Amino acid sequence: MKTYVRRAAGPRGIVGSAKGSAAVLVAFFLAGISGCDSDSGSFVPPPPRPESGTTIGSGKAPTDGIASRTGTAGAESHRPRGSAPVVELILARPADTDRQYLIIALRRELGLIRSVFRIEEPEPGQGASPARLAGAIRSAVGRGVSGLLVEPLDDPAVADALYEAAGRGIAVLLLDRGVPPREGRSLPRIEYQAIVDVGGQIAADCLEADRSYHRTRPGRAIILHHRVEDAYVDRCLAALRDPLKAAGKPIQILEFEGGAEKATEVLRRALEADPKMDILLADDVYGLAGARTIYQEWAREARPEFVFAGFAPYDNRSPELLSHVQAFGNRSVEKYATRAAKAIQSLLDGKKVDDVVGVPMTFHRKNILFVPAARKPAEPAKK
């Protein structure tokens, strides 16, 4: 596993690599772009970002821009040396685009409390074993960290290391998954919530939109399911599937592994065998990005329209993709980072936080933003 150290905050922290994908994202965060986390029912895409070497849904994380940066930058001169709290993020699985975006968002948020931010992550393409993850936790404690943000594994060795850290007064916040309580004590975790409700809203909205086509030969709904190690994707699948099933809509679930291009491949094969499709859903952004290829192809060929929706993070990586969908559930990385930073700050200050720090997914639908111009009042007749 690799460790990187950063002092959060300040434009001096922007250090790019040859590809510079992560540096582009950092620049957008530091520019203070907002409006991506609205809880309202409709959405207007945020300003598009400049092109970079990695696109969301590609299955590749912009690791070059992250891994090449070491050292500190930013707010060092505002505190005596060594006085800032040290918060370490320890990841168990290989980085993807969401995790790299989370790193950048946490760097910004933790900068607000003038903290030193360390990152411990597996080598590209490799996950951490329980023994290595437990070792990384103990090493962080040995280096004198103040707080830990840990993506845990379900293993007693990892739980041992986490409770040892908490017992030494380290602030510990788990990402997405918990560990079993011990001796009446539990460790708080942060996780996305409201998945079932949002999935039901997506399905209902798509069914209503599909009925508006008044099809003479109704087809099926296809759900693209990403087979990936993720705490939420199976729950997102069920949240989309179950309401469609209850409504009596024929469903076909297509599974894929890898990036967006794999989703496109399995979808294309299924449609070659049976092209009748009314609704196309995806349980994460990789499926949506792959499905968009088919959506655009069908539009160019003037083939029958279908309703297109799913779950995806709504941020500066995704406005072009989400401009095509009927509706989506926002798995907001920025909101997740903000709440994680607030929770770890509370723990650093000795305050209690909830056992589960919830980050609700939110429902958004595409609106037609055209309003006819008001007619001018009729001029009075001339005498």
Side-chain angles (χ1 to χ4, degrees):
M1 297 179 77
K2 296 182 178 179
T3 304
Y4 309 107
V5 185
R6 289 165 221 161
R7 175 87 66 174
R12 287 178 293 169
I14 304 174
V15 181
S17 67
K19 293 183 181 178
S21 301
V24 172
L25 293 176
V26 173
F28 268 91
F29 276 118
L30 294 176
I33 290 176
S34 61
C36 298
D37 290 323
S38 170
D39 291 339
S40 62
S42 61
F43 71 95
V44 177
R49 63 181 176 87
E51 291 300 320
S52 64
T54 304
T55 56
I56 192 165
S58 66
K60 301 175 182 178
T63 51
D64 292 331
I66 293 291
S68 63
R69 295 205 296 274
T70 58
T72 61
E76 299 148 23
S77 61
H78 298 290
R79 289 178 179 268
R81 186 174 180 82
S83 66
V86 179
V87 177
E88 186 153 329
L89 172 67
I90 302 179
L91 299 176
R93 58 186 174 91
D96 59 13
T97 54
D98 275 1
R99 277 298 189 248
Q100 293 296 345
Y101 205 71
L102 175 64
I103 287 170
I104 297 166
L106 283 171
R107 180 180 185 276
R108 176 198 65 192
E109 294 297 327
L110 292 172
L112 300 177
I113 60 172
R114 302 296 191 222
S115 65
V116 175
F117 184 33
R118 297 179 183 269
I119 303 162
E120 179 86 6
E121 59 184 332
E123 298 288 342
Q126 301 178 14
S129 67
R132 292 194 70 176
L133 185 60
I137 294 166
R138 292 191 174 98
S139 294
V141 173
R143 287 193 293 271
V145 299
S146 309
L148 289 171
L149 296 163
V150 181
E151 182 181 42
L153 295 173
D154 185 12
D155 188 274
V158 175
D160 288 343
L162 288 168
Y163 278 105
E164 287 171 16
R168 295 182 61 174
I170 308 298
V172 178
L173 180 66
L174 306 180
L175 307 184
D176 303 324
R177 296 180 174 92
V179 295
R182 289 193 177 178
E183 299 177 356
R185 182 176 187 180
S186 60
L187 298 175
R189 71 180 185 276
I190 182 169
E191 67 173 32
Y192 290 106
Q193 297 181 328
I195 297 172
V196 172
D197 291 342
V198 171
Q201 289 177 290
I202 294 171
D205 196 66
C206 288
L207 287 167
E208 182 180 357
D210 182 50
R211 285 192 290 269
S212 70
Y213 285 104
H214 303 290
R215 304 182 194 274
T216 56
R217 298 180 61 189
R220 68 200 187 282
I222 292 179
I223 305 178
L224 285 166
H225 175 52
H226 195 185
R227 292 181 58 188
V228 66
E229 186 179 347
D230 180 271
Y232 305 102
V233 70
D234 289 340
R235 291 155 64 184
C236 290
L237 169 64
L240 296 172
R241 178 198 62 212
D242 294 349
L244 293 178
K245 186 176 180 181
K249 186 70 176 176
I251 303 169
Q252 182 179 13
I253 296 174
L254 301 178
E255 298 184 349
F256 70 97
E257 296 179 354
E261 70 284 351
K262 296 298 183 182
T264 302
E265 288 177 13
V266 299
L267 179 57
R268 182 171 282 119
R269 286 197 299 268
L271 292 173
E272 287 172 354
D274 180 1
K276 294 192 295 296
M277 175 181 63
D278 298 341
I279 297 173
L280 178 57
L281 304 176
D283 52 30
D284 77 351
V285 70
Y286 296 94
L288 273 181
R292 176 182 55 181
T293 301
I294 301 299
Y295 182 89
Q296 292 172 326
E297 288 177 359
W298 279 36
R300 286 193 299 267
E301 297 167 4
R303 300 184 68 177
E305 293 186 67
F306 58 84
V307 181
F308 176 36
F311 286 92
Y314 179 33
D315 53 47
N316 290 293
R317 300 168 295 164
S318 58
E320 197 279 331
L321 167 62
L322 296 180
S323 68
H324 296 295
V325 301
Q326 167 69 27
F328 70 95
N330 181 16
R331 179 173 164 172
S332 173
V333 178
E334 293 187 46
K335 187 175 291 182
Y336 185 102
T338 300
R339 297 201 178 182
K342 288 181 178 178
I344 199 70
Q345 181 178 8
S346 293
L347 292 170
L348 288 169
D349 292 340
K351 300 175 183 177
K352 292 191 68 175
V353 301
D354 293 337
D355 288 342
V356 178
V357 179
V359 184
M361 291 193 190
T362 53
F363 170 76
H364 301 256
R365 75 180 305 275
K366 183 176 180 179
N367 284 339
I368 300 174
L369 300 177
F370 172 75
V371 179
R375 294 183 179 180
K376 293 182 179 180
E379 294 183 0
K382 295 181 179 180
K383 295 182 179 181

